[in-house]
Amino acid sequence: MSAFPDARFLTSANQPAQFLPDEGVEVAFAGRSNAGKSSAINAIVNRRQLARTSKTPGRTQLINFFHLAPGQRLVDLPGYGYARVAPAVQAHWRELLVAYFRKRRSLRGLFIAVDIRRSVGELDLQMLDWCRPLAVPVHVLLTKADKLKRGEKSRSFAHAVESAGGGATVQIFSAEDGEGVAEARERLLGMLRDPPVSKRRSAT
Ligand SMILES: Nc1nc2c(ncn2[C@@H]2O[C@H](COP(=O)(O)OP(=O)(O)OP(=O)(O)O)[C@@H](O)[C@H]2O)c(=O)[nH]1
Ligand SMILES: [Mg+2]
């Protein structure tokens, strides 16, 4: 049976006022436009069209919230770095993302989807910086691994681990052939089980 039999779309936010109440726990998916975020979400949750995928970069322009289980959500963040988007729209995405990371107490973890053929770039590292104050674990999915041969995959993996510099864990992933899907699902479930930040702090 699926780990998330009740997964469903909840709402889209184009401004912070439209974010769902900051309660319970949620895990967010970020990454460059067209990196394979929505495909990764669908593969991990095991639902074909939960998050909309597209051949056209920049498809997910809003922050999309999904219900996973009572008190547990998944968040598909708008992709960054798509050059053919008007500067004003890019600025809006940036503000929306910054507002999200600034004070999202329910955030328990961040997945960053990175095309394995491009590897970790400057914008991905900026995401790492933005969420650092929230002290949540970050997990990089090197997506579309089916596009590379084994040796190339290992090289990209080593490069990504080095770029992340201990700020994130890294794994190889393919929504197409299923490589790494089970591992990513375990990671997601682990993040959702994590205690709230306040409890973590008081425990130390
Ligand atoms: N071969 C291969 N193609 C993939 C994989 N994952 C995604 N794709 C393709 O990459 C394109 C973009 O995938 P999406 O999942 O929509 O990417 P996204 O990051 O959500 O894109 P935006 O929301 O537009 O930022 C689509 O054409 C997918 O079919 C994969 O694991 N293997
Ligand atoms: Mg998408």
Side-chain angles (χ1 to χ4, degrees):
M1 201 181 84
S2 159
F4 307 102
D6 299 325
R8 63 176 187 272
F9 173 75
L10 288 171
T11 191
S12 295
N14 189 35
Q15 341 179 356
Q18 296 166 338
F19 293 171
L20 286 180
D22 197 4
E23 300 158 359
V25 296
E26 70 192 24
V27 170
F29 280 67
R32 283 188 80 95
S33 181
N34 208 41
K37 296 173 292 299
S38 300
S39 301
I41 289 171
N42 291 337
I44 292 168
V45 176
N46 197 17
R47 291 278 295 278
R48 270 173 157 272
Q49 279 292 351
L50 184 67
R52 278 215 212 135
T53 62
S54 167
K55 285 195 168 35
T56 322
R59 173 82 207 200
T60 311
Q61 306 194 351
L62 306 164
I63 295 190
N64 290 316
F65 292 87
F66 300 89
H67 169 94
L68 288 180
Q72 297 186 350
R73 289 176 307 275
L74 191 152
V75 183
D76 192 6
L77 297 171
Y80 41 83
Y82 181 46
R84 280 160 65 187
V85 165
V89 176
Q90 283 194 31
H92 177 71
W93 291 358
R94 198 187 151 88
E95 271 171 39
L96 198 61
L97 287 173
V98 167
Y100 177 81
F101 284 117
R102 190 175 298 138
K103 52 168 187 172
R104 196 67 185 168
R105 295 186 61 84
S106 52
L107 188 69
R108 290 292 176 277
L110 176 71
F111 277 69
I112 302 182
V114 174
D115 189 320
I116 195 163
R117 297 164 298 176
R118 295 187 73 121
S119 201
V120 179
E122 215 170 289
L123 294 170
D124 302 312
L125 294 174
Q126 189 173 79
M127 290 304 288
L128 272 170
D129 278 347
W130 281 352
C131 74
R132 196 159 286 139
L134 290 168
V136 297
V138 179
H139 189 58
V140 173
L141 296 179
L142 295 175
T143 61
K144 311 189 190 184
D146 54 284
K147 301 252 195 193
L148 292 188
K149 296 200 178 76
R150 200 204 293 211
E152 298 168 318
K153 285 197 247 190
S154 315
R155 271 194 295 283
S156 182
F157 177 77
H159 180 260
V161 168
E162 198 187 321
S163 306
T169 49
V170 182
Q171 72 154 101
I172 291 171
F173 185 90
S174 167
E176 183 80 16
D177 68 13
E179 180 173 8
V181 170
E183 183 184 349
R185 190 177 296 137
E186 279 311 306
R187 197 77 170 92
L188 171 64
L189 287 166
M191 288 172 174
L192 292 167
R193 275 196 300 267
D194 241 21
V197 176
S198 56
K199 289 214 174 118
R200 262 186 275 156
R201 285 208 183 110
S202 61
T204 55

